[in-house]
Amino acid sequence: MWRVEVEKIDNVEGESIKKDILDLGIKVDKVEVINVYLLFGEISQKEVQKIAEELLTDKVWETYKINQKSKIKNQKLHIVEIAYNPGVMDPTEASAIKGIRDLGIKEVTSVKTAKKYLITDSISDRELELVANKLLFNPTVQHIVKPDARLPASPASPMSQGGPKLQRGEPSVGQEEVLPKTPAGYFNLVYIDLLDVGDKELLAISKNNQLGLNLTELKRIQQYFKNLNRNPTDIELETIAQTWSEHCVHKTFKSRIKFGGKFIEPLFSTIKKVTSELNLPFCVSVFKDNAGIVKFTNGYNICFKVETHNHPSALEPYGGAGTGIGGVIRDTLGAGLGAKPILNTDVFCFGPPDYQAKKLPKGTLHPKRVMKGVVAGVRDYGNKLGIPTANGAVLFDERYVGNPVVYCGNVGLIPKDKCGEEIVPGDLVVLIGGRTGRDGIHGVTFASGELTAKSEAISSGAVQIGNPIMEKKVIDVLIQARDKGLYRAITDCGGGGLSSAVGELASSCGAIVDLEKVPLKYKGLSYCEIWISEAQERMIIFVPPRKLNQLLKLCSSEDLPATVIGKLTNDKKLRLKYHDKKVGELDMEFLHQGVPLKTKIASWKKPHFKEPDFPEPSDLTPYLLKILSSLNVCSKEWVIRQYDHEVQGGSVIKPLVGANGPGDACVARPLLDSNYGIVVGCGINPRYGEIDPYWMAGSAIDEALRNVVAVGADPKRVAILDNFSWGNPDNEERLGELVRAVQGCYMAAKAYGTPFISGKDSLNNEYRVGNKTISIPPTLLISAIGIIEDVNKSISSDLKSPGDLIYIIGKTYNELGGSHYYYVQGYKGNDVPEIRTKNSLIFKSLHKAIKAGLIRACHDCSEGGIGVACAEMCFAGEIGMQISLSNVPQAARQLTGEPRLRRGEKIKRNDKLLFSESNTRFIVEVSRENQAKFEKLMSGDFAKLGVTDESDELKIFGLNGNFILKAKIRELKEAWQKPLKLI
Amino acid sequence: MKSKIRALVLRTAGTNCDVETVFALELVGFKVGLVHINQLKSLAPYDIFVIPGGFTYGDDIAAGKILANELKFRLKDEIRKFVESGKLVIGICNGFQVLAKLGLLPSGKISEQTVTLTNNLSGKFQCEWVKLKVDSQKCIFTKGLDEFELPIAHAEGRFVAKPRIIKELQVNNQIVLRYSGYNPNGSIDDIAGICDPSGRIFGLMPHPERFIFKTQHPRWSSAKQEPLGLLIFKNAINYFKKSPTFG
């Protein structure tokens, strides 16, 4: 083995790590970063030199060393070397081997990489250990290479307690055996003794094998095998556990629920009912494929899917989030006969980045590290695939500290005639893409349970590092294969691996799979591991035998692995073999229809929070600045600019508009020769959910619709997705909140005519610390996708010129419960914003005005109400504005449910009027020449608030005509940009 | 009438700006072949060789390095003949990184590498629109352009070289494009793009193919925008239209 170290002339990476170390409260003189390549195989010194010089080193800016120790000049130099754990994907390996073969050197058998950090300062071992553990590596996927050559090179076992111990000194040449050492594979068919055991043993079987099955399910399985008069094999049990996991079958959403003493229909039925009752012709495929599909142009449809990847991101933020976006991209690639991914969307919920390190629960990573890792993971994966990330949101709350929420979404473009699949017995099951390893074993059962301090140890196999270039190759080739008609059905290998992919796609006919045919990353996997591995970047297609040669030829022309692993049958059985020996046989019907659903109990009681009682401040300027600087409202430019949102050349409305102000939704032109655009936006507000999940759902739908309509989408052609991240559904109250939210979804989506086309729920987002369970707040994300017929008519939120008129559209109510005005003062309140079903008319008339070309800028009112919306429009356009609140259309809230004190009254306070977060409101800019046309065209509630001007200020007059707010635009923008600028 | 002027857009694993680059070339009148490197046998049928943006081979080891080696070892003679026959080469973003690592820029020949594009000083990937200034009339791709804007999207875009090389580039008017007012990545001398001594080989970090419609500009709805990225491709086809061989 040869060791090549490559170092840059300057030290940009080291400087940035030095800054991160300072964040930990440790000051060091210098950090240097060295890339280490370990080359294995029979190669000569001369060849290594050639590899180092012509491939590994950029001669202009880098230097290299072969098999040389770093000089330890003084006692202050500390060396930490980090390598990937055995079995973890090292994405550089394949590229490096290719590069070496191109040099004409064929004897290199494997390449491993590591990073060496040279830290100079007199810091203690404890401090060094802290730096390594907090910043340099994550034991879930990496380990510290031991410095002593004589020690066996056993990487940190994930099961070991505490972090690996650091040792001073230099790793010597030849000892870094980071090659996966897997036991030689041998065949041993394992039966699980299930037939004659009692309840206690059944539960123990589930627990010991990490199956995540409950007693009812275990008994149902026992019964099935009793009828067959035999015990199950391990692979059969694993297949059932995977198919029946919450993650795959969504038991909670399909179960009968008793809510408030009455039986209600399953939650999934309630959501689907919206779509079937609305019965809109633009919905092509809903709730049955990997993604929802709606109509777009004459030739194309679009599909949309949003997924969660919360638990993997909690343990390994970079890999977890990267594989999250990689997974959802495969969802659209697996929709219909395969859609081309054209846009990503990402919504994250983290703990506060300034969270006190000592308060951190055991086993959790600091929110700042989670945030940086998640953003980097999505960035590296999305950017490398060449898919613009153009929409998203980032929220912060203390309850996300132990359990962040990571939503990744993808939009795909698919020809109209490629939206249907055909399942034909006799077709071949072909596996495309990456090799299979021990990655992600038990990912779905892990995702379906709660996190504990031990999760990191037990579930390390569930977390992976992705290889985006493999996925890019898969996309490039599959789109060609699709257009040539080389396969008849497709799905992704996601949660549950082959078990889920083949099991589900072949459920209507049956299949036989030869597991030994699956290409492996390394030897030693058992047949069962092969079947349930969640190794990334793999797809399953069903290929007619006469098309096989053409398909294999196409794949090999772009160096993409493709392997026949089985065949579709018509016996409705799933049959698994390993080297011709039968290892599993299950009835598809039992597998897919057999899961016993429990009746669940839910209850909900409206909580009552302390109602704030404070006098009205006379100057609201400091409050506006405070809201603009709150983490949920402030600029997310730090995140946005790390994503390529321009690639594919279709961007029309970007995530930041004008002078880097916030956009409402993104507009993209996916077909460069057409003016048709897609519009993507989202709505999310967990703060409302604490008060009432019903209105949180209504508000999220309203917000998502507001965002897409504000930039020009036609409200009659908007489809939505629901993504629930929730606590434990076995807890009556948690489930009660979920029921309320689903009922709110039904009400609002029905009223606004926005069908649900796809969705996903992620439950058990709880974190246990000792005996205490912390649940995340109810977090519902609504994602909206709309269409604009001519992208040249899209509207951005930045003000366009001085001297124009400013209007408000929609009524303001006394609705500050959960508002940011209350939040920055430490209150919650109770009057959460509601939605009014007749407001669908507001969306329609605004859209008419946009289509008629009467609107120059438009921004919706959300967190921070009128105040924040106007401020953002000013600094995005770098144009001043003066408005008065006296004309703001108002109404009293209707008395619904239990009477409350302030209901039935209009707002008499300027602060509440300015910062109320009532739904369905927009601020628009209209030129004077269009005033009459605009006023004539608008129906319902709207009013002129003021004008844009040549000044550099936002000025707001109150109900009595006095100044209540006056601020320089620059000052507003600084307040908004400051908080996340220096992360 | 079908164009006779042919463009080759090269793609491989990780190329990702190919579709919009093909579109821009077709828009100005090229007949475009989008070819995977495994299928590329000869450059002779083409008039312009385009290496588009992306992350070829994942940017593993160093951006553009593996593709540069592949071209060097497989197509060295083809490239030499192509360049010598007076044809055009453009590398955009990852393509520029490839041309630099091939040595084709700045020397015009496959040769020892003398310039490179390394990590942005920010240490991060950056996607933003930047102001650019054309500072040399040498390059055929930038004729008629003065100050204009294009988006950048890269993590390794900082142009560096030894002072002697930078001096040579300055003296020979090979520094075609500079960042104007704001240098996003710390490039020496604000360098955003350079050409070879003939002006026919051009490499740049910003993406001209991402500004071929007015609606791509971040402020298109508040001020009139000429999509000036397109002009770079127009200049390329005009070069052939004016040349006697193409008529």
Side-chain angles (χ1 to χ4, degrees):
Chain A
M1 184 210 64
W2 295 87
R3 177 186 175 88
V4 181
E5 295 192 359
V6 179
E7 190 172 11
K8 283 204 162 53
I9 288 175
D10 62 4
N11 191 26
V12 173
E13 198 180 348
E15 285 300 313
S16 115
I17 293 167
K18 195 173 135 182
K19 214 181 112 220
D20 289 341
I21 295 177
L22 198 62
D23 281 350
L24 295 175
I26 301 169
K27 213 181 147 300
V28 296
D29 256 3
K30 195 173 171 193
V31 181
E32 292 157 276
V33 187
I34 292 169
N35 287 319
V36 180
Y37 299 91
L38 306 173
L39 312 175
F40 300 82
E42 297 293 315
I43 40 174
S44 67
Q45 166 105 26
K46 221 173 138 189
E47 285 171 321
V48 177
Q49 197 135 355
K50 185 170 176 170
I51 293 168
E53 223 160 83
E54 297 193 28
L55 178 67
L56 303 180
T57 312
D58 183 331
K59 272 170 275 182
V60 178
W61 214 242
E62 288 171 336
T63 58
Y64 71 89
K65 278 188 220 158
I66 297 172
N67 286 9
Q68 266 180 54
K69 290 187 179 190
S70 296
K71 282 198 188 98
I72 299 184
K73 294 161 216 140
N74 56 42
Q75 270 305 306
K76 283 182 166 182
L77 183 71
H78 307 271
I79 298 173
V80 183
E81 186 167 321
I82 308 294
Y84 284 114
N85 290 343
V88 172
M89 154 79 64
D90 182 349
T92 306
E93 176 170 5
S95 307
I97 289 185
K98 175 187 165 39
I100 294 169
R101 302 251 150 101
D102 286 343
L103 294 176
I105 299 168
K106 312 281 178 209
E107 292 77 20
V108 172
T109 51
S110 139
V111 177
K112 294 285 152 190
T113 65
K115 274 218 161 176
K116 189 159 113 176
Y117 299 89
L118 308 181
I119 300 172
T120 313
D121 212 307
S122 43
I123 55 172
S124 68
D125 282 1
R126 214 195 58 79
E127 283 175 321
L128 187 62
E129 201 166 318
L130 191 72
V131 168
N133 285 323
K134 295 279 176 204
L135 293 174
L136 304 183
F137 89 115
N138 186 336
T140 312
V141 290
Q142 293 158 314
H143 64 275
I144 294 176
V145 181
K146 296 200 171 166
D148 190 335
R150 280 155 303 182
L151 286 177
S154 64
S157 150
M159 301 298 286
S160 68
Q161 292 300 309
K165 289 275 170 288
L166 277 174
Q167 294 175 37
R168 282 166 186 252
E170 166 73 3
S172 46
V173 176
Q175 51 81 186
E176 297 86 349
E177 287 180 43
V178 288
L179 267 182
K181 275 194 169 171
T182 39
Y186 68 102
F187 178 69
N188 179 24
L189 184 59
V190 179
Y191 283 94
I192 311 278
D193 198 1
L194 194 83
L195 291 191
D196 308 306
V197 300
D199 294 359
K200 227 167 114 187
E201 289 88 346
L202 280 174
L203 284 168
I205 288 170
S206 171
K207 195 166 177 215
N208 295 340
N209 294 291
Q210 292 183 58
L211 299 177
L213 292 162
N214 65 37
L215 188 61
T216 323
E217 290 157 0
L218 288 159
K219 285 183 139 167
R220 179 78 188 81
I221 296 166
Q222 191 178 39
Q223 192 54 52
Y224 175 78
F225 285 99
K226 267 186 182 161
N227 293 343
L228 295 177
N229 203 19
R230 67 169 174 93
N231 271 312
T233 62
D234 54 351
I235 200 169
E236 288 172 332
L237 213 47
E238 289 277 5
T239 305
I240 298 167
Q242 169 271 310
T243 312
W244 291 6
S245 69
E246 182 65 59
H247 183 88
C248 293
V249 78
H250 303 281
K251 287 179 274 201
T252 300
F253 265 67
K254 286 180 182 161
S255 291
R256 224 153 77 110
I257 292 174
K258 203 171 182 180
F259 180 59
K262 269 187 262 171
F263 280 108
I264 56 168
E265 68 185 335
L267 301 177
F268 192 37
S269 310
T270 309
I271 295 279
K272 285 202 289 192
K273 209 166 69 181
V274 174
T275 313
S276 59
E277 287 177 1
L278 287 172
N279 193 23
L280 292 163
F282 67 84
C283 295
V284 176
S285 165
V286 296
F287 292 109
K288 52 181 187 213
D289 208 331
N290 289 357
I293 306 180
V294 291
K295 285 184 184 163
F296 180 43
T297 61
N298 284 334
Y300 288 90
N301 292 331
I302 40 180
C303 39
F304 193 13
K305 175 66 178 275
V306 177
E307 270 281 9
T308 51
H309 227 226
N310 303 343
H311 287 183
S313 303
L315 294 189
E316 206 319 85
Y318 181 82
T323 51
I325 190 75
V328 78
I329 289 165
R330 289 195 301 278
D331 273 326
T332 45
L333 187 61
L337 284 172
K340 179 190 169 199
I342 54 165
L343 192 128
N344 289 334
T345 135
D346 296 290
V347 175
F348 309 136
C349 307
F350 301 125
D354 55 356
Y355 196 77
Q356 271 190 302
K358 61 177 180 221
K359 275 166 62 190
L360 216 55
K362 201 178 162 222
T364 43
L365 300 171
H366 191 273
K368 199 165 169 180
R369 185 162 175 209
V370 174
M371 175 163 88
K372 281 187 164 185
V374 164
V375 170
V378 168
R379 171 193 71 200
D380 288 356
Y381 212 102
N383 289 355
K384 286 186 178 179
L385 257 56
I387 303 167
T389 299
N391 180 255
V394 189
L395 288 85
F396 298 90
D397 187 289
E398 294 219 346
R399 284 161 293 174
Y400 296 116
V401 163
N403 194 131
V405 170
V406 173
Y407 292 113
C408 296
N410 180 264
V411 180
L413 181 72
I414 184 166
K416 268 191 166 161
D417 59 346
K418 302 286 181 193
C419 292
E421 297 178 287
E422 249 186 300
I423 306 295
V424 182
D427 277 5
L428 304 166
V429 179
V430 178
L431 175 62
I432 303 268
R435 287 170 174 267
T436 299
R438 230 169 234 137
D439 352 26
I441 304 269
H442 287 140
V444 291
T445 45
F446 163 64
S448 305
E450 90 180 339
L451 286 169
T452 69
K454 282 190 195 132
S455 295
E456 183 175 282
I458 296 170
S459 316
S460 61
V463 181
Q464 313 143 56
I465 303 286
N467 181 3
I469 295 309
M470 176 56 84
E471 186 138 315
K472 179 76 169 96
K473 287 206 281 192
V474 170
I475 297 169
D476 289 350
V477 171
L478 279 178
I479 298 296
Q480 296 174 59
R482 176 199 72 188
D483 293 342
K484 292 186 166 127
L486 302 184
Y487 57 87
R488 286 198 268 233
I490 181 168
T491 197
D492 65 307
C493 286
L498 289 173
S499 171
S500 170
V502 181
E504 246 173 69
L505 196 59
S507 62
S508 61
C509 62
I512 184 157
V513 178
D514 298 309
L515 291 162
E516 78 281 359
K517 292 192 175 147
V518 175
L520 302 180
K521 288 182 183 167
Y522 33 79
K523 287 179 191 163
L525 266 73
S526 76
Y527 59 89
C528 191
E529 287 175 315
I530 294 170
W531 182 237
I532 61 169
S533 159
E534 293 177 12
Q536 298 289 303
E537 291 97 25
R538 300 179 304 162
M539 300 290 292
I540 285 288
I541 52 175
F542 292 169
V543 178
R546 64 193 159 81
K547 303 270 185 186
L548 182 68
N549 275 340
Q550 211 184 335
L551 177 91
L552 295 178
K553 222 172 131 190
L554 174 65
C555 291
S556 87
S557 76
E558 302 205 5
D559 308 321
L560 179 69
T563 316
V564 178
I565 62 162
K567 196 163 89 176
L568 297 188
T569 58
N570 52 15
D571 58 3
K572 299 206 164 49
K573 280 186 196 299
L574 178 63
R575 287 189 283 162
L576 305 173
K577 294 199 309 187
Y578 187 68
H579 289 297
D580 281 335
K581 294 194 185 72
K582 188 159 103 181
V583 293
E585 183 175 314
L586 291 164
D587 290 295
M588 285 290 192
E589 197 190 341
F590 169 71
L591 191 57
H592 292 283
Q593 322 292 332
V595 58
L597 295 172
K598 285 202 291 196
T599 295
K600 291 185 167 256
I601 311 292
S603 65
W604 187 77
K605 193 168 156 276
K606 189 170 187 342
H608 190 79
F609 296 100
K610 189 171 169 273
E611 198 59 44
D613 180 18
F614 58 91
E616 179 186 342
S618 58
D619 181 7
L620 296 175
T621 315
Y623 295 89
L624 176 61
L625 292 171
K626 229 173 169 176
I627 298 171
L628 287 169
S629 282
S630 69
L631 286 172
N632 289 349
V633 174
C634 76
S635 173
K636 309 299 182 301
E637 186 168 353
W638 176 81
V639 182
I640 293 166
R641 294 263 174 244
Q642 294 192 56
Y643 299 147
D644 191 344
H645 44 263
E646 304 278 356
V647 64
Q648 298 193 10
S651 92
V652 175
I653 300 288
K654 306 171 202 289
L656 293 169
V657 298
N660 294 333
D664 285 309
C666 70
V667 179
R669 175 211 307 254
L671 298 160
L672 296 176
D673 57 359
S674 155
N675 280 333
Y676 264 76
I678 56 159
V679 185
V680 176
C682 61
I684 180 168
N685 202 326
R687 283 181 210 289
Y688 298 164
E690 291 171 59
I691 299 170
D692 190 341
Y694 182 84
W695 293 116
M696 167 181 74
S699 295
I701 290 173
D702 194 285
E703 186 185 12
L705 186 57
R706 274 191 329 258
N707 282 334
V708 294
V709 171
V711 299
D714 179 353
K716 291 201 292 289
R717 282 198 58 181
V718 174
I720 56 176
L721 273 60
D722 59 282
N723 280 81
F724 294 87
S725 280
W726 231 259
N728 178 3
D730 292 333
N731 174 316
E732 273 185 39
E733 285 156 43
R734 291 293 92 74
L735 188 61
E737 290 166 357
L738 193 58
V739 171
R740 277 293 282 175
V742 168
Q743 289 174 340
C745 281
Y746 175 80
M747 173 274 303
K750 191 78 194 294
Y752 291 160
T754 51
F756 287 102
I757 55 166
S758 172
K760 198 79 194 251
D761 56 278
S762 162
L763 307 176
N764 294 307
N765 284 285
E766 301 195 340
Y767 190 75
R768 193 179 280 277
V769 187
N771 289 328
K772 210 174 136 207
T773 294
I774 302 162
S775 172
I776 63 161
T779 309
L780 167 64
L781 168 68
I782 297 289
S783 309
I785 186 152
I787 285 164
I788 182 164
E789 283 180 16
D790 181 0
V791 293
N792 294 293
K793 293 218 160 101
S794 26
I795 303 293
S796 58
S797 63
D798 49 315
L799 293 177
K800 301 301 182 300
S801 58
D804 282 344
L805 304 171
I806 295 295
Y807 287 86
I808 185 167
I809 299 173
K811 272 186 193 161
T812 303
Y813 300 77
N814 186 8
E815 291 178 321
L816 285 107
S819 70
H820 264 64
Y821 180 58
Y822 281 2
Y823 169 67
V824 296
Q825 299 181 75
Y827 302 115
K828 275 205 177 88
N830 296 290
D831 291 324
V832 69
E834 298 180 355
I835 71 160
R836 284 91 196 160
T837 53
K838 65 175 192 319
N839 281 358
S840 61
L841 295 173
I842 295 181
F843 292 113
K844 284 182 188 128
S845 66
L846 171 63
H847 181 64
K848 251 196 274 171
I850 290 175
K851 254 187 122 169
L854 304 177
I855 307 288
R856 301 200 70 193
C858 178
H859 196 17
D860 80 314
C861 297
S862 55
E863 288 96 338
I866 299 171
V868 165
C870 289
E872 289 175 342
M873 292 176 84
C874 285
F875 62 67
E878 298 177 310
I879 285 171
M881 181 198 283
Q882 42 183 313
I883 58 164
S884 159
L885 296 182
S886 51
N887 289 336
V888 172
Q890 280 204 49
R893 272 164 67 122
Q894 297 299 306
L895 293 167
T896 57
E898 81 269 41
R900 273 189 274 134
L901 283 176
R902 291 157 321 283
R903 285 205 162 154
E905 282 180 23
K906 284 194 179 183
I907 307 177
K908 296 192 186 102
R909 288 171 56 148
N910 290 313
D911 56 347
K912 295 196 173 185
L913 202 48
L914 187 62
F915 296 124
S916 163
E917 295 183 6
S918 290
N919 283 303
T920 337
R921 293 180 307 156
F922 300 89
I923 307 288
V924 296
E925 177 189 6
V926 177
S927 69
R928 282 177 201 267
E929 61 182 292
N930 284 326
Q931 176 173 12
K933 273 195 229 158
F934 170 76
E935 291 184 1
K936 197 171 157 217
L937 192 147
M938 290 303 294
S939 58
D941 300 293
F942 72 99
K944 195 165 81 198
L945 295 186
V947 293
T948 59
D949 60 27
E950 303 270 3
S951 80
D952 58 351
E953 286 180 331
L954 168 64
K955 292 185 276 290
I956 302 179
F957 300 90
L959 289 165
N960 301 326
N962 47 333
F963 257 130
I964 54 163
L965 190 147
K966 186 173 160 181
K968 292 262 188 242
I969 289 166
R970 182 178 37 80
E971 192 188 354
L972 294 167
K973 191 171 179 181
E974 265 170 31
W976 181 72
Q977 287 187 324
K978 191 179 48 186
L980 292 178
K981 205 169 192 169
L982 294 172
I983 280 295
Chain B
M1 190 188 80
K2 278 252 168 170
S3 170
K4 287 193 199 108
I5 308 171
R6 296 180 49 136
L8 162 68
V9 176
L10 179 70
R11 75 180 177 91
T12 185
T15 302
N16 66 28
C17 302
D18 44 336
V19 174
E20 55 270 40
T21 305
V22 169
F23 187 83
L25 288 160
E26 284 176 345
L27 206 58
V28 299
F30 281 104
K31 181 172 165 47
V32 186
L34 175 61
V35 183
H36 192 281
I37 187 148
N38 289 355
Q39 272 76 55
L40 183 63
K41 302 284 178 285
S42 167
L43 297 180
Y46 304 99
D47 303 298
I48 178 171
F49 176 26
V50 184
I51 310 180
F55 289 82
T56 50
Y57 306 106
D59 271 6
D60 295 333
I61 300 175
K65 184 72 184 178
I66 295 176
L67 180 56
N69 273 4
E70 202 172 0
L71 288 171
K72 185 151 78 185
F73 295 113
R74 278 196 36 208
L75 293 159
K76 192 171 181 173
D77 281 345
E78 282 290 317
I79 294 173
R80 185 182 49 77
K81 275 187 264 169
F82 188 85
V83 171
E84 281 170 2
S85 63
K87 293 176 173 181
L88 301 182
V89 181
I90 181 170
I92 302 165
C93 196
N94 193 236
F96 183 19
Q97 292 160 337
V98 172
L99 295 182
K101 276 154 194 167
L102 263 176
L104 208 51
L105 281 176
S107 75
K109 295 193 267 289
I110 292 183
S111 55
E112 188 81 355
Q113 182 188 342
T114 57
V115 303
T116 198
L117 295 135
T118 188
N119 321 46
N120 299 348
L121 273 188
S122 67
K124 287 198 294 273
F125 185 96
Q126 285 166 262
C127 176
E128 57 191 314
W129 281 69
V130 292
K131 282 206 178 71
L132 298 162
K133 189 157 179 8
V134 175
D135 274 340
S136 157
Q137 297 309 310
K138 184 166 242 172
C139 181
I140 74 101
F141 288 93
T142 50
K143 298 245 182 288
L145 280 165
D146 180 19
E147 281 212 330
F148 66 118
E149 288 175 74
L150 289 179
I152 56 158
H154 58 245
E156 295 179 44
R158 178 165 51 116
F159 186 94
V160 291
K162 298 214 163 67
R164 179 178 58 82
I165 302 290
I166 299 283
K167 187 87 202 161
E168 271 176 35
L169 293 176
Q170 289 164 344
V171 171
N172 294 337
N173 280 325
Q174 284 176 260
I175 301 172
V176 180
L177 269 190
R178 284 196 173 90
Y179 300 110
S180 169
Y182 158 71
N183 179 339
N185 50 29
S187 287
I188 294 178
D189 197 20
D190 301 329
I191 295 173
I194 59 169
C195 66
D196 76 321
S198 75
R200 287 182 283 105
I201 305 175
F202 182 37
L204 74 170
M205 287 314 294
H207 287 271
E209 81 284 8
R210 296 185 186 181
F211 194 23
I212 56 172
F213 304 118
K214 70 163 191 188
T215 52
Q216 289 166 323
H217 191 277
R219 304 197 74 166
W220 64 269
S221 56
S222 56
K224 206 167 176 278
Q225 298 294 344
E226 239 353 274
L228 290 174
L230 199 60
L231 203 56
I232 288 180
F233 301 102
K234 275 189 189 151
N235 279 329
I237 199 148
N238 286 341
Y239 169 81
F240 294 110
K241 284 184 176 159
K242 282 176 197 151
S243 117
T245 3
F246 293 94

